[in-house]
Amino acid sequence: MADIFKIIFLIFASVYIVQAKHEEYDGHSLYEVKVNDLVQVDELNAIVEEMNLDLWSYAIPGREGLILVAKNMKPLFENAVNKIGVEYKIVTENIKEKLELEDKLLADAARSSNFSRSGGISLDVIHRYNVVDRYLTDLANRFPRVVRAVSAGRSVEGRDIKYLRISSNNFQDRNKPVVMIQSLLHAREWVTLPVTLYAIHKLVIDVTEQDLIRNIDWIILPIANPDGYEFSHTSTRMWRKNRRTGFGVCVGVDLNRNHDFNWGTASSNSACSDTFHGPRAFSEPETQITRNIITEFRSRLSLFIDAHSFGSLILYGYGNRQLPPHALILNTVGVQMAQRIDAVKWPSHRNYRVGNIAAVLYQASGGSSDYVQSMIGRGLSYTYELPAYRNLNNINGFLVDPAFVRQAGFETWEGIKVAARYVVQNRMYFKNQTDDFPMFGY
Ligand SMILES: [Zn+2]
């Protein structure tokens, strides 16, 4: 008898859990905002900051922004925006419905995808931490000559953070440039995971371009923020930070503001903010891992790409508007990557834009690509902002439609390859890196 009650309880409990998911987003609306000039940009940002709103994408003249506003804040927000004369419209009335739709689409895709056919991992699905972690270990076991899985350390909650070293000669050829790609430093940016998984697939399983593995040693880190990533699956979909506690009621450090480059100068010191920089630079185990990898491979690291979402942007340093001495090269290679992606992207998506992060978007400090840039001299360091997928269901922004997952991996890889081959072709320039290098002229 007791068992029956237990079963009934469990059934009710699981129904409750399903229904309770995304409850915190009920009635939240997604606003599209259009700014005309930089004065409005500043005014709008002040509103976002003051009301502690969830800024999905930053509005700049010529590019609308997206802001998620809780139900009870809507009148206040609309009032404030009216006052500064910024145009707005609601693109999604109740985001909770879209989150439920996203769950359904992703679950359907996971059911119908054939995992083992390719001998790897399905590339049209958003995988959870455990699946990816197991996959990395499996690959290292299956391809010991080319792949090594490195446990780089543990996250705040104790998850193993693994990266792959992919090399035709176990990183022994000191003349080869090293290229590093990472994804999911920001938890909710799920569509970035296919970027690293696709790269791994093309370097290990479905190798069609031998030169990439012959000429380059690769470091690929798919889940840079595993705790935040899992939390965004199990609880709060729009979670961005890691899961550090100890700051009172608020949780998490923005890992992309925690690196030791201009730390704390253009970020928040409030633990409740989504851009909280943490108690000090590299206070978090997740960012310490980046630091250790960069320290280890610094002399050969010629290209670093940190995949984020969203906005169709390729950004380079620095976040304080200062340009590295080789900004012209960063820009040129960035444009070449963007042109390649634009050539194969879906027509409904906007073209990529390339530029200095502070010039294109906003000032930011403690970012991973800035830190890496400051460490690798002439090397090339970029932040990618992947496209926001749009379809009839108005799945948008951070939400992922599985229809786009494989394409996201494919088209971004097309771009990355351009820069990877650039550093191979210009090896002499990237070798002999020093911290203060002469101006480079074309
Ligand atoms: Zn991000």
Side-chain angles (χ1 to χ4, degrees):
M1 226 21 209
D3 277 350
I4 283 178
F5 281 121
K6 216 181 200 171
I7 288 164
I8 290 170
F9 171 77
L10 284 175
I11 288 168
F12 275 104
S14 61
V15 168
Y16 173 75
I17 287 164
V18 167
Q19 283 180 341
K21 208 174 176 204
H22 307 313
E23 209 55 58
E24 64 188 291
Y25 294 107
D26 196 20
H28 282 43
S29 296
L30 192 60
Y31 284 78
E32 189 181 276
V33 287
K34 260 187 202 155
V35 292
N36 298 321
D37 51 43
L38 295 176
V39 176
Q40 284 189 338
V41 169
D42 286 343
E43 288 172 337
L44 183 64
N45 288 332
I47 293 170
V48 168
E49 196 111 312
E50 200 180 294
M51 296 176 67
N52 202 15
L53 300 174
D54 187 359
L55 181 67
W56 278 28
S57 74
Y58 196 85
I60 48 176
R63 269 195 179 208
E64 65 279 10
L66 286 172
I67 301 170
L68 188 65
V69 184
K71 199 176 182 175
N72 58 351
M73 301 288 264
K74 285 165 65 175
L76 213 64
F77 173 73
E78 289 180 10
N79 234 333
V81 172
N82 278 330
K83 233 180 237 167
I84 60 170
V86 164
E87 260 180 76
Y88 68 85
K89 70 172 184 207
I90 293 181
V91 288
T92 303
E93 189 66 48
N94 187 356
I95 199 73
K96 178 170 176 264
E97 289 166 13
K98 298 297 172 194
L99 296 177
E100 285 161 355
L101 178 62
E102 182 193 43
D103 282 346
K104 188 188 168 310
L105 292 173
L106 290 175
D108 289 350
R111 259 195 301 277
S112 62
S113 91
N114 189 337
F115 220 81
S116 56
R117 197 188 299 156
S118 61
I121 201 166
S122 47
L123 297 168
D124 49 3
V125 170
I126 297 295
H127 298 285
R128 295 283 292 274
Y129 167 81
N130 279 336
V131 174
V132 175
D133 191 62
R134 210 179 316 126
Y135 174 61
L136 300 183
T137 309
D138 285 353
L139 273 188
N141 290 334
R142 283 171 54 204
F143 302 94
R145 283 182 173 196
V146 196
V147 180
R148 226 185 97 192
V150 181
S151 289
R154 293 197 173 269
S155 64
V156 167
E157 291 178 347
R159 290 186 177 85
D160 191 19
I161 298 178
K162 273 199 191 76
Y163 65 86
L164 290 188
R165 284 170 47 155
I166 303 174
S167 170
S168 58
N169 52 5
N170 195 25
F171 277 64
Q172 293 306 306
D173 182 353
R174 306 239 142 236
N175 289 317
K176 276 193 191 182
V178 171
V179 173
M180 176 171 176
I181 316 171
Q182 75 173 17
S183 51
L184 284 177
L185 190 63
H186 281 150
R188 64 188 176 182
E189 298 166 9
W190 292 1
V191 80
T192 64
L193 180 59
V195 171
T196 41
L197 294 185
Y198 192 90
I200 292 169
H201 184 77
K202 292 303 292 178
L203 290 168
V204 178
I205 292 173
D206 178 28
V207 187
T208 50
E209 293 157 294
Q210 292 286 347
D211 65 306
L212 295 171
I213 187 89
R214 195 170 54 237
N215 298 329
I216 297 167
D217 286 344
W218 297 84
I219 293 172
I220 304 189
L221 200 171
I223 306 184
N225 174 13
D227 301 345
Y229 181 55
E230 279 301 294
F231 189 69
S232 73
H233 277 279
T234 57
S235 180
T236 299
R237 173 67 182 89
M238 290 305 144
W239 193 257
R240 165 181 163 108
K241 303 186 283 183
N242 76 348
R243 294 293 299 162
R244 168 75 76 188
T245 54
F247 310 121
V249 287
C250 292
V251 176
V253 170
D254 182 353
L255 299 174
N256 210 27
R257 301 289 183 276
N258 186 244
H259 293 71
D260 191 9
F261 186 78
N262 290 331
W263 178 84
T265 55
S267 49
S268 175
N269 61 10
S270 160
C272 298
S273 165
D274 251 351
T275 55
F276 176 47
H277 48 56
R280 64 193 170 278
F282 288 129
S283 57
E284 305 309 296
E286 294 88 353
T287 50
Q288 288 164 15
I289 283 169
T290 317
R291 179 182 61 185
N292 296 344
I293 295 172
I294 302 311
T295 308
E296 185 176 352
F297 298 103
R298 186 179 174 186
S299 61
R300 285 204 283 143
L301 189 62
S302 306
L303 174 64
F304 174 81
I305 288 172
D306 192 17
H308 286 255
S309 145
F310 57 99
S312 301
L313 302 164
I314 294 175
L315 306 168
Y316 53 84
Y318 292 109
N320 60 357
R321 242 174 220 281
Q322 229 167 49
L323 292 173
H326 64 322
L328 188 57
I329 297 173
L330 284 164
N331 196 79
T332 305
V333 178
V335 168
Q336 286 170 7
M337 289 194 282
Q339 285 174 336
R340 179 62 200 147
I341 298 175
D342 289 344
V344 295
K345 75 173 175 57
W346 286 356
S348 55
H349 285 174
R350 62 175 26 139
N351 285 340
Y352 263 81
R353 189 185 272 199
V354 181
N356 167 270
I357 176 167
V360 174
L361 281 183
Y362 43 74
Q363 299 227 359
S365 57
S368 74
S369 67
D370 264 13
Y371 167 71
V372 175
Q373 185 63 73
S374 75
M375 295 296 287
I376 61 172
R378 299 171 176 183
L380 309 175
S381 182
Y382 297 98
T383 295
Y384 264 62
E385 296 282 356
L386 265 57
Y389 174 72
R390 285 161 200 262
N391 71 354
L392 294 175
N393 293 324
N394 204 11
I395 286 258
N396 199 348
F398 297 114
L399 277 63
V400 180
D401 185 330
F404 182 57
V405 169
R406 193 186 175 95
Q407 171 70 18
F410 158 71
E411 67 178 36
T412 312
W413 179 236
E414 287 296 304
I416 292 169
K417 283 190 298 187
V418 170
R421 288 198 168 110
Y422 182 91
V423 299
V424 171
Q425 280 152 13
N426 296 277
R427 202 171 312 175
M428 288 316 289
Y429 167 70
F430 288 100
K431 235 170 143 181
N432 311 322
Q433 292 183 10
T434 53
D435 280 333
D436 63 333
F437 36 86
M439 287 301 289
F440 184 85
Y442 277 91

